[in-house]
């Protein structure tokens, strides 16, 4: 029987016990890799949970993670502190409190080696060697995602794809991947038509799904899904490191100061570019940043933030706004968020980059005022006056609306009329009494009387062009 103390006795693993010396006789059933902050749905009794602590960000994060392991009855936690400058103290304390043996993994030791050695130990207990397919798959554990996916497809004897919750095909070994909508969130395995779909674990808010082109798959597909989660975590670390080079660019865009041209050149992006802003109203900047990273994954992009908004500078692609709309259409099936809205600037050179950032922010404001849960607005699709109004602070819009339209609004409220609507239709019909009367289904003389009455209440001449512009902007500010 493989026990926790058996793992400590394997010399090439060099595991070090940090807490739980009285608990080493627990039997080990399998090894499971996760970076989820709450792994409770996926862990089970007897498992050794292996983690790189990518879910740990600050003191206090360890408590819910370790508590979930204790409730499931796991045998031990094996953790690498390579990305956290050692195992944080609150992880050690939480393991001691919840009676979970904690094994420290050397920073230079590959998870593939640990996984393979544990699998071999468990196989020896059962009196059989693990299959050659499993050994070959485990030997590719540290490979990039495309290589790992090809190896998995070869061992499974079926094409494989990784799909994002945004509908993006992250990678695949054959064309015509199944739609991600076939997967049911929360399920460990879904068989749909000729495919099996499994969740790719990890700490990510925007999930990935492994699709195998066969309705019959065994534990090997589960192993592949676990290894793909590690590949994703490694790729995310590489991306975040690359994004640090773009921090001066977003700092210059946000502050309006600094050498924007030099900051842009440091990112390696090519002109022209678009600026993309994405927001969620749920005060979840990490979710917004991850959603945006998924949306722009197929184009050269630098990611950062503008204030509280997730932001990206991407190399211009005329089709990309439509691609973003299509990708957001499946997000609400997998991600718990009340609304997502994005603004996209038109193409710009570095000289116009600050203006493009403002255009994207204004387009996001327009998107926020739409009724859809998932809204994407491109700056070139928005009338200039709407961009100008969207960019004004709420207090200024309310002030302008009250100053220009106050008399008319008060009259409608007390008299039960709707002169405001009449004025709006009149202006949108290019100030044509005939066209406006037809649109409102009233006689043209009635229309002229109403416009004259509205002019009187406003103290303005609604036949004057500059006055019409002011009134229409005030109407749009509401």
């Amino acid at each position: 029987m493989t026990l926790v103390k058996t793992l400590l006795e394997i010399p090439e693993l060099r595991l070090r016990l940090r807490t739980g010396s009285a608990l080493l006789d627990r039997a080990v059933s399998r090894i499971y890799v996760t970076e989820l902050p709450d792994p409770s749905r996926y862990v089970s009794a007897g498992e050794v949970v292996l983690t790189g602590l990518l879910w740990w960000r600050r003191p206090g994060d360890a408590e819910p993670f370790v508590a979930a392991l204790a409730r499931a009855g796991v045998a031990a936690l094996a953790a690498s502190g390579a990305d956290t400058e050692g195992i944080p103290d609150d992880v050690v304390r939480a393991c001691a409190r919840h009676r979970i043996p904690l094994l420290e993994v050397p920073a230079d030791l590959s998870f593939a080696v640990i996984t393979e050695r544990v699998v071999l130990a468990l196989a020896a207990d059962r009196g059989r060697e693990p299959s050659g397919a499993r050994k070959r798959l485990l030997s590719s554990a540290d490979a990039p995602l495309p290589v790992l996916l090809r190896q998995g497809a070869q061992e499974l004897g079926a094409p494989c794809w990784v799909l994002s919750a945004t509908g993006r095909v992250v990678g695949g070994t054959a064309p015509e991947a199944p739609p991600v909508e076939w997967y049911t969130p929360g399920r460990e395995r879904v068989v749909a038509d000729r495919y099996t779909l499994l969740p790719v674990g990890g700490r990510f808010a925007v999930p990935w799904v492994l699709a195998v082109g066969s309705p019959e798959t065994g534990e090997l597909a589960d192993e592949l899904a676990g290894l793909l989660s590690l590949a994703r975590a490694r790729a995310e670390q590489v991306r975040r490191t690359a994004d640090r080079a773009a921090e001066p660019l977003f700092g210059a865009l946000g502050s309006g100061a600094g050498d924007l041209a030099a900051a842009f050149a440091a990112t390696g992006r090519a002109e022209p570019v678009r600026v993309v802003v994405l927001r969620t109203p749920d005060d979840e900047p990490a979710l917004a940043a991850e959603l945006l990273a998924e949306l722009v994954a197929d184009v050269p992009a630098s990611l950062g933030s503008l204030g509280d908004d997730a932001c990206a500078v991407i190399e211009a692609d005329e089709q990309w706004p439509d691609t973003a709309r299509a990708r957001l259409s499946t997000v609400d099936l997998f991600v718990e968020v009340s609304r997502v809205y994005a603004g996209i600037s038109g193409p710009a050179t570095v000289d116009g980059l600050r203006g493009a950032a403002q255009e994207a922010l204004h387009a996001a404001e327009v998107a926020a005022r739409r009724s859809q849960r998932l809204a994407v607005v491109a700056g070139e699709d928005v009338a200039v006056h709407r961009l100008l109004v969207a960019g004004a602070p709420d207090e200024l819009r309310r002030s302008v609306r009250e100053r220009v339209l106050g008399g008319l609004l008060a009259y409608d409220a007390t008299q039960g009329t709707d002169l405001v609507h009449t004025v709006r239709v009149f202006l949108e019909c290019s100030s044509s009494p005939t066209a406006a009367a037809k649109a409102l289904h009233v006689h043209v003389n009635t229309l002229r009387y109403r416009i004259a009455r509205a002019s009187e209440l406003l103290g303005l001449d609604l036949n004057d062009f500059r006055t019409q512009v002011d009134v229409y902007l005030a109407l749009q500010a509401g």
Side-chain angles (χ1 to χ4, degrees):
M1 178 182 294
T2 300
L3 308 177
V4 174
K5 64 182 178 183
T6 307
L7 306 185
L8 288 168
E9 294 167 355
I10 300 175
E12 58 263 48
L13 294 187
R14 295 176 283 124
L15 300 175
R16 181 165 73 97
L17 180 67
R18 294 296 304 274
T19 187
S21 58
L23 308 168
L24 300 182
D25 288 332
R26 291 180 176 180
V28 175
S29 60
R30 67 189 288 257
I31 188 165
Y32 178 73
V33 181
T34 185
E35 299 297 342
L36 284 171
D38 180 4
S40 54
R41 288 193 301 172
Y42 303 106
V43 293
S44 56
E47 291 178 335
V48 170
V49 174
L50 181 59
T51 179
L53 297 176
L54 296 179
W55 48 266
W56 190 90
R57 296 177 181 274
R58 60 188 66 85
D61 287 351
E63 176 61 28
F65 182 91
V66 177
L69 305 188
R71 288 193 299 271
V74 304
L77 173 64
S80 170
D83 295 316
T84 52
E85 298 181 353
I87 296 180
D89 289 340
D90 77 323
V91 175
V92 180
R93 290 194 296 270
C95 287
R97 185 162 54 251
H98 290 284
R99 295 178 55 78
I100 298 292
L102 175 61
L103 316 180
E104 184 170 4
V105 177
D108 62 342
L109 186 63
S110 163
F111 278 17
V113 172
I114 300 172
T115 302
E116 185 173 7
R117 290 298 292 116
V118 173
V119 169
L120 289 171
L122 292 171
D125 281 345
R126 298 174 186 130
R128 60 180 175 84
E129 284 290 312
S131 69
R134 197 173 191 186
K135 284 184 178 179
R136 289 189 296 270
L137 184 61
L138 289 172
S139 70
S140 301
D142 282 340
L145 186 143
V147 176
L148 183 58
L149 205 55
R150 286 196 299 270
Q151 184 68 41
Q154 181 176 329
E155 302 304 340
L156 289 165
C160 294
W161 302 265
V162 175
L163 312 172
S164 166
T166 62
R168 179 173 71 93
V169 179
V170 180
T173 62
E176 298 183 11
V180 71
E181 296 95 312
W182 285 3
Y183 176 70
T184 303
R187 293 276 299 279
E188 292 187 8
R189 183 183 296 260
V190 174
V191 177
D193 195 8
R194 307 182 310 278
Y195 304 94
T196 301
L197 297 99
L198 308 93
V200 174
R203 63 179 179 82
F204 300 94
V206 182
W208 284 2
V209 173
L210 168 63
V212 181
S214 169
E216 297 181 4
T217 59
E219 291 184 358
L220 196 62
D222 296 300
E223 297 282 358
L224 177 58
L227 295 176
L228 287 167
S229 71
L230 286 177
R232 183 182 186 185
R234 291 194 299 269
E236 175 68 7
Q237 290 295 97
V238 171
R239 183 188 69 77
R240 289 187 176 183
T241 300
D243 286 342
R244 293 194 186 104
E247 290 177 358
L249 173 63
F250 291 100
L253 285 176
S255 66
D259 190 341
L260 187 61
F264 178 78
T267 67
R269 302 278 78 85
E271 301 175 84
V273 294
R274 293 179 183 266
V275 178
V276 187
V277 169
L278 186 140
R279 297 175 181 170
T280 67
D282 299 322
D283 193 26
E284 295 188 53
L287 171 59
E290 192 174 314
L291 278 172
L292 183 56
E294 277 290 320
L295 289 183
V296 305
D298 291 341
V299 294
S302 297
L303 288 99
S305 60
L306 283 180
D308 294 331
D309 298 322
C311 184
V313 174
I314 68 171
E315 294 184 12
D317 178 346
E318 290 184 0
Q319 302 302 317
W320 195 80
D322 291 334
T323 301
R325 293 185 183 97
R327 286 184 177 170
L328 274 180
S329 65
T330 60
V331 165
D332 60 344
L333 297 175
F334 296 87
V335 180
E336 294 183 5
V337 60
S338 61
R339 286 199 67 201
V340 178
Y341 40 94
I344 308 170
S345 77
T349 63
V350 65
D351 291 336
L353 196 52
R354 285 195 173 98
Q358 291 302 311
E359 183 180 2
L361 289 167
H362 298 345
E365 290 290 344
V366 173
R369 287 172 170 75
R370 295 190 172 176
S371 58
Q372 302 102 310
R373 290 187 60 236
L374 307 170
V376 178
V377 172
E380 57 261 51
D381 297 334
V382 182
V384 173
H385 72 272
R386 289 187 178 273
L387 283 175
L388 293 174
V389 170
D394 290 343
E395 295 80 2
L396 178 58
R397 288 200 302 271
R398 287 194 293 267
S399 175
V400 168
R401 181 175 172 82
E402 180 60 31
R403 177 169 61 83
V404 177
L405 302 176
L408 197 59
L409 293 168
Y411 182 83
D412 277 350
T414 57
Q415 300 300 316
T417 56
D418 198 1
L419 286 180
V420 169
H421 179 60
T422 298
V423 170
R424 184 189 296 272
V425 172
F426 174 68
L427 295 177
E428 289 177 347
C429 289
S430 302
S431 306
S432 167
T434 303
K438 184 176 180 180
L440 291 167
H441 306 290
V442 299
H443 193 275
V444 69
N445 288 339
T446 302
L447 187 283
R448 288 195 175 97
Y449 168 78
R450 289 181 181 178
I451 293 301
R453 181 62 176 141
S455 295
E456 183 181 315
L457 290 165
L458 292 170
L460 301 168
D461 180 4
L462 284 173
N463 292 304
D464 176 73
F465 174 73
R466 286 178 296 183
T467 298
Q468 291 172 352
V469 172
D470 288 346
V471 171
Y472 194 67
L473 287 174
L475 287 166
Q476 295 298 317

